[in-house]
Amino acid sequence: MSKAYDRVLDNPALAALTGPHARFAERRGRVLRYPVEVSPWVALPDEPEAADWADVAALAGPGNEALLIGFRGPTPQGWETVFRAEGVQLVGEDVAGAPDPEAVRLGPDDIPEMLDLVARTRPGPFLARTLELGTYLGIRRDGALVAMAGERLRPPGWTEISAVCTDPAVRGQGLAGRLVLAVAHGIQQRGERPFLHTGATNTGAIRLYESLGFRERRTTVFLGTRIPDDLLEPAA
């Protein structure tokens, strides 16, 4: 059972887009989303109705995909499930965040390298404007970006750590853990608490996060659904 103070994490995309990330929100009715180059996540109300699915279709457009966090209900008839992956949500109220002397803040000039690293390591969605969501830190070796982590969703009082990835050539050196703690430190300096998501089968990542002081709060699901190409009038 969720504690009253952290129930914003039950629907983190909606809480972020109606809270600290409201400046990014594209809205139709009760449905919100980020600009497509910032983040792929669409935020549904807790109990979506037919009109809400019509608004998802209007926002995304026929033939396009909508990505949802934590939604376990049925999608409208004719909508294709592109992917469905079980996940876990971990919270870090007791994580001892710490700055890292080797970590550097990444900026717009670093985006090509960040996108390349993401393409090679596939940590989850990171797009051309995702950097706008918060602070991203990286570690360079011989001038090349080899590891990074940063901030994504921001429900009130919390910030999600995301895009945690390390070049295969330097794995096993503890870089991911160091960057997670460095990002967590910045979150805690703002008076917020870190949390994160990962795949339920990614046992290595889960062990790492738990070793840093994160604890599993709940299971979740990542769902991608495609709106039918021939949908003229969005309907449930």
Side-chain angles (χ1 to χ4, degrees), residues 45-70:
D46 291 335
E47 297 182 3
E49 300 173 353
D52 300 314
W53 289 109
D55 289 334
V56 172
L59 272 175
N64 292 321
E65 295 179 16
L67 274 64
L68 309 171
I69 299 178

Side-chain angles (χ1 to χ4, degrees), residues 132-145:
E132 297 175 22
L133 294 178
T135 299
Y136 279 78
L137 301 178
I139 290 177
R140 293 183 174 279
R141 294 285 168 82
D142 297 323
L145 183 66

Side-chain angles (χ1 to χ4, degrees), residues 2 51 68 108 129-130 142 181 199 223:
S2 298
L68 309 171
R129 292 178 54 201
T130 303
D142 297 323
L181 292 179
L223 177 69

Side-chain angles (χ1 to χ4, degrees), residues 10 47 56 58 61 63 70 105 114 119 127 129 134 138 142 145 162 192 198 218 226 233:
D10 290 347
E47 297 182 3
V56 172
R105 182 159 184 169
M114 297 170 78
L127 305 171
R129 292 178 54 201
D142 297 323
L145 183 66
S162 184
E192 298 176 356
T198 192
R218 67 185 305 221
R226 179 176 289 119
E233 294 293 335

Side-chain angles (χ1 to χ4, degrees), residues 34-116:
Y34 287 90
V36 293
E37 291 188 335
V38 174
S39 175
W41 300 117
V42 174
L44 288 171
D46 291 335
E47 297 182 3
E49 300 173 353
D52 300 314
W53 289 109
D55 289 334
V56 172
L59 272 175
N64 292 321
E65 295 179 16
L67 274 64
L68 309 171
I69 299 178
F71 178 73
R72 293 188 178 275
T75 56
Q77 185 176 0
W79 292 40
E80 177 190 358
T81 296
V82 180
F83 69 85
R84 179 186 175 91
E86 295 296 320
V88 294
Q89 181 186 81
L90 300 102
V91 291
E93 299 105 318
D94 300 323
V95 168
D100 189 280
E102 198 177 0
V104 295
R105 182 159 184 169
L106 302 173
D109 291 344
D110 300 302
I111 289 174
E113 275 191 287
M114 297 170 78
L115 291 171
D116 178 70

Side-chain angles (χ1 to χ4, degrees), residues 5-234:
Y5 72 86
D6 66 6
R7 284 181 183 155
V8 293
L9 298 182
D10 290 347
N11 194 340
L14 182 64
L17 285 167
T18 54
H21 278 172
R23 67 188 184 279
F24 292 108
E26 297 178 355
R27 176 190 289 269
R28 186 177 175 99
R30 300 194 301 164
V31 176
L32 297 93
R33 73 169 183 179
Y34 287 90
V36 293
E37 291 188 335
V38 174
S39 175
W41 300 117
V42 174
L44 288 171
D46 291 335
E47 297 182 3
E49 300 173 353
D52 300 314
W53 289 109
D55 289 334
V56 172
L59 272 175
N64 292 321
E65 295 179 16
L67 274 64
L68 309 171
I69 299 178
F71 178 73
R72 293 188 178 275
T75 56
Q77 185 176 0
W79 292 40
E80 177 190 358
T81 296
V82 180
F83 69 85
R84 179 186 175 91
E86 295 296 320
V88 294
Q89 181 186 81
L90 300 102
V91 291
E93 299 105 318
D94 300 323
V95 168
D100 189 280
E102 198 177 0
V104 295
R105 182 159 184 169
L106 302 173
D109 291 344
D110 300 302
I111 289 174
E113 275 191 287
M114 297 170 78
L115 291 171
D116 178 70
L117 182 60
V118 165
R120 289 185 285 112
T121 57
R122 305 182 70 81
F126 182 89
L127 305 171
R129 292 178 54 201
T130 303
L131 181 70
E132 297 175 22
L133 294 178
T135 299
Y136 279 78
L137 301 178
I139 290 177
R140 293 183 174 279
R141 294 285 168 82
D142 297 323
L145 183 66
V146 296
M148 74 173 192
E151 301 174 355
R152 190 170 62 181
L153 298 177
R154 284 190 66 187
W158 297 85
T159 297
E160 179 192 26
I161 298 177
S162 184
V164 181
C165 54
T166 304
D167 188 297
V170 294
R171 284 179 183 164
Q173 299 180 20
L175 302 186
R178 288 166 50 189
L179 285 172
V180 168
L181 292 179
V183 175
H185 175 75
I187 293 168
Q188 292 164 341
Q189 290 295 105
R190 296 197 301 264
E192 298 176 356
R193 291 160 289 180
F195 77 108
L196 47 80
H197 294 99
T198 192
T201 61
N202 193 351
T203 55
I206 293 171
R207 283 197 300 269
L208 169 64
Y209 299 141
E210 289 179 339
S211 75
L212 299 176
F214 288 87
R215 62 173 178 84
E216 182 177 329
R217 175 179 178 266
R218 67 185 305 221
T219 61
T220 189
V221 65
F222 311 113
L223 177 69
T225 181
R226 179 176 289 119
I227 301 151
D229 290 308
D230 57 357
L231 189 64
L232 299 179
E233 294 293 335

